[in-house]
Structure formats: C-alpha cells, structure tokens
Amino acid sequence: MAHLDHPLRLAQQPEADELLSRSPLAALTGMLLDQQIPMEWAFTGPHTVAARLGRDDLDAQEIAAYDPEAFAALFSEKPAVHRYPGSMAKRVQQLCQYLVEHYGGDASAVWRDAPTGGELLRRLVELPGFGRQKAQIFLALLGKQFGVRPEGWREAAGPYGEEGSFRSVADITGPGSLEKVRAYKQEMKRAAKKAAGKG
C-alpha cells in the first residue's frame, strides 16, 4: 500500500487501526462493512475476522474459498462483526472472490496503477458491495490518507475529495475529526428528514 503519513484512526483501537494501515484488503473490507453500524465497529471488523481466522492479516484467496456457512458463523460469534452478520459475511466473500478473479487476490492492485481518478472510481464501483457513494468515499480515503492520487482524484471523489472537508471516514485522523464528521452526518440526516417532511 502507499505510504501513510500517520496510522489510520478509523477503528479507534490500536490493533485494528494498525491492520487497516498496513493491509489494503482490511481497509477495503472495513469500508464494505461501514453501513448501518457505527464506523468504529465497521473498521474493527477486519481485525476481528483476522483474529478469528487465526491470522494477522486477511487473505482474499483464503476468504474466497472459505465454507460460506462457516464464514457466516465466524461473523456471528459474539461480539458479532456486523449487525447483519450473515449477509455481510456473504458480501465480504463476494468481494474477495472478485479480487481473486480480477486482481489475483491483491486488493492494492485495484488502485496501484490506476492512471486517473475516473478510472479508479470505475474500478471501485465495480467491486461487489460498493455503490458510487462508497466508492467515492474510499477513493477520497486513498487520496487523503494513503497518498494514492492519480490525476483528477479529488474530482472523481466528488465532495468527499474536497480539501479540509469533514464529510466521511476519509477525513478522520483522530477523535477531534471523528466528532466533526459525526456532526456533519447528523446535520445531513436532519436535512434529509426535513426535506422528506415537506414532501
């Protein structure tokens, strides 16, 4: 993975953040899990899964070939990896199967040689479980914290790529920025509710 200026602070737990900082697959998996649960819970997930597999990192080939029922059970053990352990275990396996099929199991190959931000966004959107918004947030995370900055990456990341913004996990570098991103997300939810109420 590209050089990090500082370790990630997404899980707010040293071991989990250390794994995210050195493992492209862990970072991608954390992003995949980041829905309908608190962000720290999502980004702690890859470390929990690796530990339950008895590994110090995630291996796309191992996960892709894992027995689906056993993998779902591993997600469901207390504390569960996600609020929806069965469906998210399936999504993580689908992501790993896609990476094995298209990138030889190497998650960083998704962005390593992307010539432009637009091409990188296209590759991320093609990943199972990644919609456009999730892909843009991950692209912004790569640019802002991993130094992966192909031409036009900020534009491709949309509002998440803006300098000095506090919109997403891409902007979290510690507890202070975490609070700012939380406040922004709550503001967005309020605005959406208000807009829905008018209709």
Side-chain angles (χ1 to χ4, degrees):
M1 203 152 199
H3 175 68
L4 272 171
D5 302 333
H6 48 82
L8 291 180
R9 298 283 295 276
L10 301 179
Q12 308 281 313
Q13 287 190 16
E15 297 92 350
D17 279 328
E18 189 273 328
L19 176 61
L20 294 169
S21 301
R22 68 178 161 82
S23 167
L25 181 56
L28 210 49
T29 302
M31 189 75 229
L32 178 67
L33 294 171
D34 187 18
Q35 58 190 58
Q36 297 169 307
I37 59 171
M39 180 203 78
E40 300 92 318
W41 184 8
F43 282 96
T44 302
H47 181 260
T48 306
V49 172
R52 288 177 186 175
L53 288 169
R55 307 272 183 264
D56 64 357
D57 194 358
L58 299 178
D59 180 319
Q61 265 142 345
E62 180 184 17
I63 293 170
Y66 215 82
D67 175 70
E69 280 180 25
F71 197 63
L74 187 127
F75 262 60
S76 304
E77 266 177 51
K78 299 268 181 280
V81 173
H82 196 278
R83 180 179 291 156
Y84 304 107
S87 61
M88 292 316 282
K90 190 175 171 182
R91 282 201 173 169
V92 170
Q93 279 201 292
Q94 287 168 339
L95 174 66
C96 289
Q97 285 158 355
Y98 183 91
L99 290 171
V100 167
E101 204 176 309
H102 296 267
Y103 294 100
D106 177 5
S108 65
V110 175
W111 53 84
R112 192 184 300 119
D113 61 350
T116 63
E119 168 62 17
L120 178 50
L121 180 63
R122 187 189 67 73
R123 291 181 190 184
L124 290 168
V125 169
E126 284 178 350
L127 297 174
F130 276 69
R132 187 172 177 83
Q133 184 186 30
K134 196 181 277 284
Q136 285 187 312
I137 292 171
F138 194 76
L139 200 161
L141 177 67
L142 287 172
K144 291 179 176 182
Q145 301 206 40
F146 286 103
V148 175
R149 298 174 182 145
E151 193 184 326
W153 73 271
R154 281 191 192 276
E155 295 73 11
Y160 304 106
E162 283 172 21
E163 184 87 63
S165 66
F166 290 99
R167 286 194 170 90
S168 72
V169 300
D171 303 308
I172 294 170
T173 52
S177 46
L178 172 62
E179 288 313 310
K180 288 182 183 173
V181 170
R182 277 237 162 88
Y184 174 81
K185 285 185 167 180
Q186 280 161 352
E187 190 50 50
M188 289 293 97
K189 274 187 184 153
R190 271 197 294 275
K193 269 190 185 148
K194 209 170 165 184
K198 279 180 186 164

